[in-house]
Amino acid sequence: MTARVLVAKPGLDGHDRGAKIVARTLRDAGFEVVYTGIRQRIEDIVSIAVQEDVAVVGLSILSGAHVALTQRVVDALRAADAADIAVVVGGTIPQGDIEKLRASGAAAVFPTGTPLDVLVTEMRALTGTPAPPSP
């Protein structure tokens, strides 16, 4: 089973290097990845997530608005009857905001500097996606 993941950049943040690295890392690890690009509206992220039947929405946020944007995405998914889609968030996230993000509905938080192998392992655990067999 291959999990589908949407990687999105909500709001006005135009920095996407990290999101592209995460998208490529997840793709290389066997996930199906949909990348929305920068400056996405919450409504568009939710619409794409539902249309693409993803298991996870990954938000990449460097703007400092991570708590508010995450809450808006979680609320919009619930309103779209898609609360089963997990939301994870990564980016410039102070340690003190991690619990706020979890309380707002984030299933996982990946601050800048999270090792990519940790990201993949946690995404596999979250989605129930097994690691591919070793060659």
Side-chain angles (χ1 to χ4, degrees):
M1 177 184 111
T2 301
R4 294 176 63 90
V5 177
L6 176 74
V7 176
K9 296 282 303 173
L12 299 177
D13 179 6
H15 300 281
D16 64 349
R17 181 184 297 173
K20 287 179 178 177
I21 290 169
V22 166
R24 179 174 294 181
T25 298
L26 292 173
R27 187 171 293 129
D28 290 349
F31 291 86
E32 288 185 43
V33 179
V34 177
Y35 176 63
T36 65
I38 60 173
R39 299 185 181 102
Q40 296 298 306
R41 296 174 347 138
I42 302 300
E43 299 79 14
D44 295 334
I45 292 169
V46 170
S47 176
I48 294 167
V50 170
Q51 288 174 22
E52 294 289 340
D53 192 29
V54 300
V56 178
V57 171
L59 302 175
S60 172
I61 306 170
L62 302 175
S63 67
H66 44 272
V67 175
L69 289 169
T70 299
Q71 185 67 63
R72 288 180 54 205
V73 170
V74 169
D75 291 345
L77 284 167
R78 288 180 184 146
D81 198 28
D84 60 321
I85 298 175
V87 175
V88 300
V89 60
T92 308
I93 300 167
Q95 197 67 29
D97 286 350
I98 292 175
E99 282 309 311
K100 292 177 190 174
L101 289 165
R102 290 191 183 278
S104 72
V109 180
F110 303 104
T112 301
T114 299
L116 295 174
D117 60 327
V118 170
L119 169 78
V120 169
T121 299
E122 289 195 29
M123 291 293 288
R124 283 194 175 122
L126 180 64
T127 61
T129 303
S134 298

